[in-house]
Amino acid sequence: MIDASTFLRRALLADAIFSGVAALGFTFGASAFAALFNLPEALLRETGLFLIAYAALVGWLASRASVAKPLVLLVVVGNAAWTVGSIAMLFSGAVSPNLAGELMVVAQAIATGVFAELQYLGLRRSSIVAVA
């Protein structure tokens, strides 16, 4: 366990808020966003459903004074993988988004990469809990 630094907790909270907003939008507005971005509705809805659970986990971590370091590392690695996966999806040809869709995917990939970096920095600023 580690004592989560204020920086880490704020980075996790920002991620939870960003992910929660995206979760609600993609879950309940999948058809509208699918038309706007020319992305598959099922992809957007399933992404939204995943983000509901993810936002809850990250929000819970942000609310703790002490957290399990491996769990925070999982969030950091997951965010980094999401960033790479998002860009790879665009290059794979698996989807054919319009310009607005490409910009949205790139923007959220950048934001997710920034969260990974901020959380990693926050993790480095955190201290190990002494066990008696």
Side-chain angles (χ1 to χ4, degrees):
M1 297 290 285
I2 58 167
D3 281 329
S5 67
T6 301
F7 190 89
L8 174 59
R9 293 177 68 197
R10 287 182 180 162
L12 290 167
L13 180 60
D15 188 2
I17 292 168
F18 180 83
S19 297
V21 169
L24 293 174
F26 288 155
T27 299
F28 299 109
S31 61
F33 283 121
L36 179 64
F37 298 133
N38 197 39
L39 287 167
E41 184 177 341
L43 172 67
L44 295 173
R45 182 166 286 112
E46 290 168 12
T47 298
L49 291 171
F50 168 79
L51 287 174
I52 290 170
Y54 175 79
L57 169 67
V58 177
W60 178 80
L61 284 172
S63 72
R64 306 284 116 197
S66 295
V67 295
K69 185 176 181 179
L71 197 51
V72 175
L73 281 172
L74 179 65
V75 170
V76 172
V77 170
N79 277 337
W82 186 284
T83 299
V84 172
S86 295
I87 301 304
M89 179 184 72
L90 290 177
F91 286 108
S92 73
V95 295
S96 299
N98 56 23
L99 180 60
E102 289 177 356
L103 292 173
M104 185 276 298
V105 171
V106 170
Q108 65 81 33
I110 291 169
T112 305
V114 168
F115 285 134
E117 179 65 22
L118 293 174
Q119 290 158 353
Y120 179 73
L121 292 172
L123 189 59
R124 290 181 50 126
R125 293 181 181 186
S126 300
S127 57
I128 296 173
V129 174
V131 179

